[in-house]
Amino acid sequence: SQKIEQNSEALNIQEGKTATLTCNYTNYSPAYLQWYRQDPGRGPVFLLLIRENEKEKRKERLKVTFDTTLKQSLFHITASQPADSATYLCARTDSWGKLQFGAGTQVVVTP
Amino acid sequence: ETGVTQTPRHLVMGMTNKKSLKCEQHLGHNAMYWYKQSAKKPLELMFVYNFKEQTENNSVPSRFSPECPNSSHLFLHLHTLQPEDSALYLCASSHSGSGEISYNEQFFGPGTRLTVL
């Protein structure tokens, strides 16, 4: 079966440092990978989308990479702030356009 | 808040009750989705509606019954649920081309926290 996996352990990081999250998938490479942020008790909020022919995408302090050889996407938060503390979800789009989500990685940024 | 609203935000029900969850989107989208999110588990896609037509039923038990009267509203009717159905139920919407599911980002509502006793 197709899987999409994220590190289940929380990532604790000091303010100002770069947080790096990993998303690994099995089987076919998706046409798109999306990253979402979810705060406790809230719905996910879209952050970035990267296509399979794109190596890197940036938005403000966020950067996403997509390596179809490694079947991996990395999500970076540079100059992290306590307000960045949340759970970050990776999702891939299948051939029917449906999203398959990972379980998410919690990020805790301490002052 | 996004342009997707959900009511109620919290619901406690017994196994013999019948209740409904409501979702409304104000974004002009034509695809709507129901997801289930249990603790420490990935979001599970339950149902997809595209232009008011159900295009996906992801092996969901019949005790969950969706309804999409128009492109802006989505309901999830619940009856004879089990305690393991307790979870956060999320509604989402997105743009979609005619006859196909969207590859665009999805906009989520805040969810309904459901507890089945």
Side-chain angles (χ1 to χ4, degrees):
Chain A
S1 63
Q2 300 159 2
K3 292 183 180 179
I4 184 162
E5 295 178 339
Q6 297 182 253
N7 193 339
S8 59
E9 289 185 18
L11 179 63
N12 292 283
I13 192 164
Q14 192 173 18
E15 182 177 8
K17 302 292 185 182
T18 296
T20 299
L21 285 66
T22 304
C23 175
N24 294 298
Y25 58 89
T26 61
N27 298 341
Y28 71 91
S29 283
Y32 305 82
L33 270 175
Q34 300 185 21
W35 284 88
Y36 289 77
R37 168 184 173 143
Q38 186 173 24
D39 291 283
R42 308 290 291 268
V45 175
F46 172 78
L47 296 175
L48 282 166
L49 178 151
I50 187 165
R51 294 174 172 78
E52 61 180 337
N53 61 352
E54 297 176 318
K55 295 294 184 184
E56 182 179 297
K57 202 80 169 278
R58 291 176 183 260
K59 178 182 176 182
E60 298 174 351
R61 295 184 294 108
L62 307 179
K63 184 178 82 171
V64 172
T65 63
F66 193 177
D67 190 325
T68 55
T69 302
L70 294 177
K71 297 189 176 181
Q72 182 180 83
S73 175
L74 298 179
F75 178 84
H76 306 271
I77 307 171
T78 59
S80 59
Q81 304 168 1
D84 295 326
S85 299
T87 296
Y88 291 85
L89 309 176
C90 170
R92 71 170 169 188
T93 312
D94 69 14
S95 56
W96 297 98
K98 293 183 298 179
L99 284 181
Q100 179 188 15
F101 283 87
T105 299
Q106 183 184 12
V107 173
V108 179
V109 182
T110 52
Chain B
E1 289 287 354
T2 68
V4 181
T5 58
Q6 289 186 244
T7 54
R9 294 292 306 274
H10 300 273
L11 178 62
V12 179
M13 59 187 290
M15 289 191 286
T16 58
N17 292 156
K18 289 185 180 180
K19 297 286 184 183
S20 295
L21 310 184
K22 179 182 177 182
C23 175
E24 183 173 0
Q25 59 96 1
H26 313 273
L27 301 169
H29 293 160
N30 41 43
M32 296 189 76
Y33 314 80
W34 278 118
Y35 288 89
K36 174 184 178 181
Q37 188 176 34
S38 303
K40 304 297 183 184
K41 291 186 178 179
L43 274 75
E44 301 173 43
L45 179 65
M46 300 175 71
F47 301 104
V48 180
Y49 278 83
N50 194 27
F51 288 93
K52 299 187 298 178
E53 297 295 321
Q54 186 180 131
T55 58
E56 182 75 22
N57 176 339
N58 206 23
S59 302
V60 180
S62 59
R63 57 185 184 268
F64 295 91
S65 174
E67 178 189 0
C68 188
N70 54 60
S71 293
S72 298
H73 293 86
L74 187 63
F75 295 89
L76 187 63
H77 303 299
L78 316 172
H79 64 97
T80 59
L81 295 191
Q82 304 299 312
E84 60 264 29
D85 296 322
S86 299
L88 181 68
Y89 288 84
L90 291 160
C91 172
S93 69
S94 70
H95 282 298
S96 173
S98 176
E100 64 184 23
I101 297 298
S102 170
Y103 288 85
N104 297 319
E105 65 267 27
Q106 295 184 9
F107 294 77
F108 285 82
T112 295
R113 173 66 63 185
L114 174 67
T115 302
V116 181
L117 301 176

